[in-house]
Structure formats: C-alpha cells, structure tokens
Amino acid sequence: MSRMMFVNLPVADLGKSIEFFSRLGFEFNPKFTDDTATCMIIGESNFVMLLTREKFLSFTPGLEVCDTGKRTEVLVCLSAESRAEVDMLLDKAVAAGGTNFRDPEDHGLMYGRSFRDLDGHIWEIMWMDPAAV
C-alpha cells in the first residue's frame, strides 16, 4: 500500500509563507487552500500543510506552538536531483527571506544544506549519489 504523507506546520503569516515557498518553485493545491491553510505539493504523495497558528492549535488542544527561535520539533528533509539543485534551492530560500542554517555538509556520496523558513522551521535539502542507494 502506498501512503500519503502530510507534514503540518504552523505559520505566522500564511500569505507570506505561500509567497516564500512559491519563490522556491513549490505549488499549492487550491482545493485545500483557504485563509487558514494551504496544501503545498512536495511530490506525488507528499505534502506540507501550512496552517495559521490558530488553525494549527485547533488540532493540538491544550498545547502551545513552539518558539522556533529557541526550540524545534521537526527537521523537514527534501531530496534534490543534484548538488547544483541543493545549492539552487538554498540560494532561492535565502533570496526569498529565509536564512542559512548550517554550513554545507559534503560526505562524498551525500551533499546537503539547510535553511530556516520565515517561521524558523528547519528545512534540509540533500542529494545522495544514486549509486549509493
């Protein structure tokens, strides 16, 4: 059975988050987009739901949204088709208002970089040599 995956992330300003990820080349499913949420398409069966903080909290009663300046609960890692694509996506993220998170990591068979989005969520972009898989 093939499973779909939805990662849910709280955002402070949904419009700015949509603009940010659009600049990285991501698209959104209009069927699951309103003024409180959007469905960002990562791949055929993988999605990120960007939710206003209020909407996110409606799914987590009694809990608080973590302060991403001090804590993190998740690292989102996306694959890239090449080292060049890793660098391109990182450059786009920084140009769109994100921040570089760590120095590039080059392990020969794997290369990766990380950025923080507008809400401080950490995104890792990595390339792995297909021969190593």
Side-chain angles (χ1 to χ4, degrees), residues 32-90:
F32 300 104
T33 298
D34 61 23
D35 59 343
T36 65
T38 190
C39 179
M40 183 167 70
I41 302 165
I42 301 296
E44 186 175 319
S45 299
N46 299 294
F47 310 91
V48 173
M49 297 298 300
L50 300 175
L51 309 168
T52 62
R53 290 174 188 237
E54 296 77 19
K55 178 78 164 195
F56 186 87
L57 287 169
S58 74
F59 295 111
T60 59
L63 299 176
E64 297 177 15
V65 172
C66 105
D67 177 351
T68 57
K70 297 177 183 177
R71 297 176 175 85
T72 191
E73 292 189 282
V74 65
L75 297 173
V76 180
C77 183
L78 302 177
S79 64
E81 293 187 13
S82 66
R83 290 171 180 262
E85 186 181 25
V86 170
D87 291 335
M88 179 197 65
L89 284 170
L90 247 292

Side-chain angles (χ1 to χ4, degrees), residues 1-58:
M1 174 177 118
S2 176
R3 295 186 190 270
M4 298 171 73
M5 186 172 89
F6 294 83
V7 174
N8 293 270
L9 296 176
V11 299
D13 186 316
L14 185 60
K16 286 183 180 178
S17 291
I18 291 170
E19 180 182 340
F20 174 82
F21 286 106
S22 293
R23 290 180 64 184
L24 274 67
F26 291 102
E27 296 180 359
F28 301 85
N29 184 333
K31 292 180 184 177
F32 300 104
T33 298
D34 61 23
D35 59 343
T36 65
T38 190
C39 179
M40 183 167 70
I41 302 165
I42 301 296
E44 186 175 319
S45 299
N46 299 294
F47 310 91
V48 173
M49 297 298 300
L50 300 175
L51 309 168
T52 62
R53 290 174 188 237
E54 296 77 19
K55 178 78 164 195
F56 186 87
L57 287 169
S58 74

